[in-house]
Amino acid sequence: MKKTFLLAALMLATVINAQVLNVASIQKLNTPQNSDTKVAGISPTGDYILLTSGANKGLTRFDLATGNTMTITEQEGAGYEVKISDNGNEVIYRETTYDKNHMRRNNILHMSFATRKRALVAQGQRDIKRMQFESRPTISINDRLMVLTQNDESTTLAPNGKDASYIWPSISPDGTKICYYVCGTGCYVCNIDGSNPQYIAHDCRAAKWYNNDIIIGMNDTDDGEFILSSQIVAFDLRGNSQVLTDDSMVAMYPYAIEGAVVFTTLQGETYLIHVNN
């Protein structure tokens, strides 16, 4: 009986620690660096990343091939939940302002990289319902719950109950699933309608989709005031996991497309993980 239990535990450990991604190399990018830089997005075509500040102020495009940069805006709020078109040629972003009563408002803007022209999509918005391309669904947080918006219709989702606090929601590339984090509990994946929540892990925060089966997040620890360590981690929906970075850096807030993962460190350095498919 004891031998059978130990064998089962060993088999379980092997499954849990199975390789999720085949990492080819990790490259430090020569991005404009300061201690407050973080990644705000990666192009679906993999040719550029978006950078912002830790407080989501400003938005800069960094070309991965040439190292050239383009300032999109220097306004507050621009780095929060940026939307990139499927072909990578356009972005929708916000600029946060405050009215005379100190209420926060968002101006929603659209920019074409081909023309470098900006257009005002909506002014003085309190939510981000119009921050989407065509019929692509978006997910946001309102009063600690998830809000799914599609075709100008919004639905509140609470897969783990309305008493839970939800953060970091992300929609899978095929638009069928949502990964999210429940404060105090961990990372989950559910269907796009909020059904069938599946527990992934406690130590997978700020997760983004790599493809329709794999999510990339960070496993960070702190002392209540300062971040002590953080690693980039990968999980698939079958329960396998993998640590992608070591303890030589504090790696945080990843973004991913199939073949690449980008993240920044606590010092504002930006790295690109090349993945063999």
Side-chain angles (χ1 to χ4, degrees):
M1 181 70 176
K2 183 177 180 181
K3 182 178 180 180
T4 302
F5 175 79
L6 291 175
L7 179 61
L10 178 61
M11 292 176 64
L12 177 60
T14 301
V15 170
I16 290 176
N17 293 296
Q19 179 172 284
V20 177
L21 297 176
N22 182 9
V23 174
S25 62
I26 301 180
Q27 174 190 1
K28 183 180 178 181
L29 301 176
N30 188 26
T31 56
Q33 180 190 331
N34 60 62
S35 60
D36 200 30
T37 299
K38 71 175 183 179
V39 178
I42 182 170
S43 163
T45 52
D47 55 342
Y48 67 84
I49 61 175
L50 298 177
L51 300 172
T52 188
S53 76
N56 297 305
K57 182 178 180 180
L59 193 62
T60 299
R61 169 178 163 152
F62 177 83
D63 190 285
L64 293 174
T66 66
N68 292 336
T69 61
M70 177 196 303
T71 299
I72 298 172
T73 180
E74 297 180 348
Q75 298 300 309
E76 293 185 14
Y80 183 67
E81 295 186 346
V82 185
K83 301 296 183 292
I84 305 175
S85 63
D86 290 338
N87 60 15
N89 292 337
E90 305 164 80
V91 290
I92 294 177
Y93 62 96
R94 77 183 70 194
E95 292 183 348
T96 300
T97 60
Y98 295 86
D99 62 23
K100 61 182 181 181
N101 296 318
H102 306 288
M103 295 291 293
R104 185 176 63 185
R105 302 288 181 178
N106 296 304
N107 293 332
I108 311 302
L109 294 98
H110 168 274
M111 181 177 182
S112 167
F113 291 129
T115 64
R116 298 201 176 192
K117 291 183 177 179
R118 300 171 180 83
L120 184 65
V121 176
Q123 189 171 15
Q125 302 293 298
R126 295 192 62 184
D127 55 36
I128 57 168
K129 292 180 181 179
R130 299 186 68 177
M131 282 193 68
Q132 60 183 13
F133 283 98
E134 299 174 352
S135 60
R136 185 197 300 180
T138 62
I139 191 76
S140 59
I141 299 295
N142 184 41
D143 291 334
R144 301 182 299 109
L145 302 179
M146 294 190 292
V147 178
L148 178 72
T149 301
Q150 189 170 17
N151 299 323
D152 290 328
E153 294 186 3
S154 296
T155 304
T156 298
L157 303 178
N160 299 70
K162 292 187 176 181
D163 292 333
S165 294
Y166 300 83
I167 53 176
W168 297 319
S170 176
I171 296 178
S172 62
D174 63 5
T176 65
K177 296 182 180 66
I178 304 168
C179 73
Y180 58 95
Y181 198 88
V182 177
C183 294
T185 303
C187 179
Y188 289 81
V189 168
C190 70
N191 294 332
I192 195 69
D193 62 358
S195 64
N196 192 31
Q198 173 188 350
Y199 179 73
I200 301 299
H202 184 272
D203 298 325
C204 184
R205 286 175 280 278
K208 303 292 183 184
W209 291 90
Y210 174 83
N211 58 23
N212 295 315
D213 183 60
I214 297 170
I215 59 174
I216 308 293
M218 65 180 187
N219 177 15
D220 58 307
T221 60
D222 60 65
D223 60 3
E225 184 175 1
F226 299 104
I227 295 173
L228 303 177
S229 66
S230 184
Q231 297 171 315
I232 303 301
V233 292
F235 291 84
D236 66 25
L237 302 187
R238 296 179 299 279
N240 301 314
S241 66
Q242 182 181 357
V243 178
L244 303 182
T245 59
D246 59 27
D247 292 331
S248 65
M249 64 180 74
V250 180
M252 304 174 66
Y253 296 109
Y255 279 79
I257 58 169
E258 195 155 16
V261 179
V262 291
F263 64 90
T264 41
T265 68
L266 193 61
Q267 291 73 34
E269 300 169 326
T270 306
Y271 287 82
L272 171 63
I273 302 176
H274 298 273
V275 180
N276 290 330
N277 294 325

